[in-house]
Amino acid sequence: DTGLTSAARYCYLVCAYFTDRTGNSANYSAISGGKEVYILPKTPVATVEAYEDGGLLIKVSTTVDCTGYIYYRSTDNKTYTKLAATTAASYADTTGTVGTTYYYKVAAYSGSETWCGTASAAVSKAATPASPRILSYSYDGSAVTIRWGAVEGVSRYKVFRRTDGDSTWTSWYVAVENTAYTDKTAVAGTKSIYPVQSDQLVGSTRYYSPLS
């Protein structure tokens, strides 16, 4: 039986018969009690990336016909615990510890979580700090000042600048106790963007947030 729709329920009934000498079907048996078959949702494809609010963002990159998705997490790629069941094709895990590698799988379900398909292949990434929230930009005629909100636990910040027409970034490190930077090299009449990044040292490894 081909052409079935995933996440759908089908019922099959069977009876027996024989063909007489004239080629006509005759003498049908009683119909069987029937067998109900449920076609589970297909297996989704998952990805994981750094999340601007800290932690990791799991996305379903290839969606399937279903009611929703169940997100699972593991620290050893062996034992998984359920994080959430939601209709959204993405889930932000902000409960992780910066520097710890987490593994994720996603399964699609239809109707209720009981009817759950096979989980996706595992994806993994180390949790990252949150991105700074830009509070303001100002220009006094000779310099641009960028201000942002403090991010708990980070070691320092990194301010970037890219001017229209440039393909490369200029950057400066800023001590953690500071939440502002003044660019005195800005050129009047040019348009630039100034994203800021959190930098957190865990052991001997640095972990970086997405650009703000």
Side-chain angles (χ1 to χ4, degrees):
D1 187 5
T2 60
L4 300 180
T5 301
S6 64
R9 185 179 284 109
Y10 296 87
C11 185
Y12 293 88
L13 303 173
V14 181
C15 71
Y17 70 94
F18 73 90
T19 303
D20 63 19
R21 293 180 180 178
T22 64
N24 296 317
S25 298
N27 295 327
Y28 289 88
S29 72
I31 297 176
S32 66
K35 176 65 176 179
E36 188 175 66
V37 177
Y38 195 87
I39 308 300
L40 297 176
K42 295 180 180 180
T43 302
V45 176
T47 62
V48 61
E49 61 189 50
Y51 185 51
E52 61 182 8
D53 288 337
L56 298 166
L57 180 66
I58 308 94
K59 292 182 176 181
V60 179
S61 62
T62 302
T63 57
V64 299
D65 183 15
C66 64
T67 301
Y69 301 95
I70 305 174
Y71 295 84
Y72 301 92
R73 185 180 77 176
S74 172
T75 55
D76 59 7
N77 200 23
K78 295 178 182 178
T79 302
Y80 281 81
T81 56
K82 174 185 167 183
L83 288 174
T86 173
T87 57
S90 65
Y91 179 80
D93 178 15
T94 59
T95 64
T97 301
V98 173
T100 298
T101 296
Y102 295 96
Y103 300 83
Y104 298 93
K105 291 183 178 183
V106 184
Y109 70 90
S110 183
S112 71
E113 294 177 42
T114 303
W115 302 104
C116 179
T118 303
S120 67
V123 290
S124 64
K125 188 175 178 63
T128 57
S131 303
R133 296 295 185 188
I134 302 298
L135 302 179
S136 67
Y137 297 96
S138 61
Y139 179 63
D140 63 3
S142 61
V144 174
T145 298
I146 309 97
R147 301 182 186 279
W148 60 88
V151 179
E152 184 178 356
V154 302
S155 307
R156 60 184 181 180
Y157 302 101
K158 192 174 184 179
V159 179
F160 294 82
R161 182 190 71 193
R162 189 172 68 186
T163 302
D164 274 2
D166 289 347
S167 59
T168 58
W169 293 91
T170 301
S171 61
W172 306 270
Y173 283 108
V174 179
V176 68
E177 60 269 19
N178 297 321
T179 54
Y181 180 78
T182 299
D183 176 16
K184 298 180 180 180
T185 65
V187 178
T190 61
K191 182 180 180 181
S192 301
I193 58 173
Y194 289 88
V196 183
Q197 185 178 58
S198 298
D199 176 339
Q200 185 166 340
L201 181 65
V202 179
S204 59
T205 304
R206 292 190 175 277
Y207 297 90
Y208 303 94
S209 74
L211 297 180
S212 59

